[in-house]
Amino acid sequence: MSYSTLRAAGHAERKGRVLTGALAIAALVAALVALWQTQSTPLARRAYCWGSWPEDGSPFRGGAHDRVAEESAPSRAHPAGLCTLRWRAGKGAGEYEQRVELRLGTGPEAAGPRRAWLDGLFEGGDTALPGRLPGFTTAGAGALVLPQGCDVGGRPSVVTLTSSYADATGHGRHPGFPAAVSPPDTGVLLVRAANRAAAVTGCSSAPPMRLRARAVPAVPMLPLRVNPGPASGRCAIPGLSVDDPSSEPSPEPSADPSKGSAEGSVEDRLTDTVGSVHDDFQTCAIAGDGQWAARFTMVGRPRLVALFDGLTGDSPPAPGWRAHGRIDADGALIRADCAGRPTVFTMRTGPGRTHTRLDDPRTSFPAFVEAVGERIGCAHLRAHG
């Protein structure tokens, strides 16, 4: 074998060793990156709930300890997930145990269970996320719908969050957080989790959702008065009151003015909580003696409206209605076209019944629909006659 042949063979051998070394280094770097992304090494802070929330950020407060996480992470093959977090915080009489549950799923397919699932999502005093994001929150709960590419079986995928805590008094669990947590705080948690879910499942090519915190008003915006004449009723809705505005006043005064009328005593026991009032999202809850009696919702954000697909049928709720759905003694759900935009109106009744027209959907729901519909520029949805 000539010298030139030996030299060429040696050169090829050295070249092969360099290439092998380069591939080994590349594989090591890729492994380190993968470990860093899954928080399996000290290269990065640990993050909980599929990597959504870092250990030194929200929802954890200063001094959080004894953290326990149980996670079932979503993936491309399994676009559903569950994460349950528990930790302890505070000291002495202020010590408490916090629990947060995060879910990714589509909810039931069958109409009855799906309606019950939606009833649980909408609390009635919800605050809409700003920037027309398809979600809403309370101080310690909320929901956010993922982009259409993340639908499963034709149903939208939803990230939901619920929280509760048990304090040192031992008086059971309470919803939310013991410290002051605002709906925007909960919205931040939802947006991070939703973006993470979309990323790990690879279901959407849309840009990540962003929450513009400064767009959240400190005080919910009240609706404009529909008619300047009548006084504003419950939920700031004209006509939504204990008395039927179309009925004649009683000619007989109360026998004992100091006790007031029966209707007056009911009014004293009622409270109403207005959530958000926007042209595409409005909520309100009415409570009697501390228990909710009726919850009203109007939704016009397309991805939220899609949650109700298949639930309203093809028939009007009653003769003369320009909408599809139902109205009965237990609740109401209709879908209508409002200025070219599909819009859903709902009402649910609860345990704190007032035994007035307020928690009878057949009388109060039409008043809610008419007032809100007129405010958002929706043509009359039922005939007057």
Side-chain angles (χ1 to χ4, degrees):
M1 182 179 294
S2 66
Y3 171 75
S4 60
T5 302
L6 289 172
R7 184 178 181 184
H11 180 69
E13 185 178 352
R14 287 194 302 272
K15 195 173 181 180
R17 287 197 300 268
V18 170
L19 179 60
T20 301
L23 291 175
I25 293 173
L28 178 61
V29 170
L32 288 174
V33 169
L35 287 172
W36 175 79
Q37 289 178 335
T38 56
Q39 293 84 44
S40 298
T41 75
L43 291 177
R45 300 170 299 172
R46 182 175 182 183
Y48 294 88
C49 290
W50 325 321
S52 304
W53 305 329
E55 61 183 347
D56 58 351
S58 185
F60 305 109
R61 300 298 178 188
H65 55 87
D66 297 337
R67 306 184 201 198
V68 177
E70 300 173 9
E71 301 190 34
S72 172
S75 65
R76 291 177 182 270
H78 183 68
L82 171 64
C83 174
T84 302
L85 279 176
R86 298 190 303 275
W87 69 90
R88 305 190 72 85
K91 295 180 180 180
E95 185 178 14
Y96 64 93
E97 180 196 60
Q98 183 71 51
R99 177 187 172 95
V100 175
E101 183 177 279
L102 186 71
R103 287 183 179 270
L104 169 66
T106 60
E109 182 177 4
R114 186 165 188 82
R115 179 66 196 274
W117 176 70
L118 288 169
D119 286 349
L121 286 188
F122 292 86
E123 291 293 328
D126 312 288
T127 299
L129 292 177
R132 300 191 184 276
L133 287 176
F136 48 89
T137 68
T138 62
L144 180 58
V145 182
L146 270 60
Q148 189 171 2
C150 301
D151 288 3
V152 178
R155 302 191 304 278
S157 293
V158 188
V159 171
T160 59
L161 182 151
T162 56
S163 62
S164 63
Y165 70 95
D167 56 30
T169 63
H171 291 159
R173 302 200 69 84
H174 312 280
F177 296 85
V181 175
S182 66
D185 294 332
T186 308
V188 169
L189 297 176
L190 278 171
V191 169
R192 288 177 180 169
N195 286 335
R196 182 62 179 169
V200 297
T201 58
C203 63
S204 175
S205 59
M209 289 182 276
R210 297 184 180 278
L211 183 68
R212 296 179 295 135
R214 65 178 181 273
V216 182
V219 179
M221 180 184 66
L222 293 178
L224 298 174
R225 180 77 59 80
V226 177
N227 298 309
S232 181
R234 291 289 174 176
C235 297
I237 296 295
L240 199 61
S241 60
V242 169
D243 297 317
D244 186 344
S246 63
S247 63
E248 293 294 329
S250 173
E252 296 296 330
S254 171
D256 186 353
S258 65
K259 295 182 180 180
S261 65
E263 291 80 6
S265 62
V266 171
E267 288 280 9
D268 292 340
R269 301 197 306 269
L270 295 180
T271 58
D272 50 343
T273 303
V274 177
S276 285
V277 179
H278 302 282
D279 62 351
D280 57 2
F281 194 90
Q282 180 165 342
T283 61
C284 182
I286 296 176
D289 292 327
Q291 289 187 305
W292 74 274
R295 290 172 174 166
F296 300 87
T297 303
M298 178 277 292
V299 174
R301 301 188 179 187
R303 294 297 292 154
L304 290 176
V305 170
L307 293 173
F308 296 87
D309 285 353
L311 298 182
T312 53
D314 299 321
S315 301
W321 278 81
R322 189 179 58 82
H324 295 150
R326 68 173 182 85
I327 303 173
D328 55 39
D330 297 321
L333 168 63
I334 66 168
R335 179 170 177 156
D337 183 295
C338 284
R341 181 181 64 197
T343 305
V344 166
F345 298 83
T346 74
M347 177 182 172
R348 286 130 20 235
T349 57
R353 303 303 292 268
T354 66
H355 302 291
T356 71
R357 65 186 302 271
L358 282 176
D359 51 28
D360 186 343
R362 295 165 296 185
T363 55
S364 59
F365 182 69
F368 173 77
V369 171
E370 287 190 356
V372 175
E374 186 169 347
R375 184 181 67 79
I376 64 178
C378 187
H380 288 300
L381 296 182
R382 66 170 183 153
H384 293 266

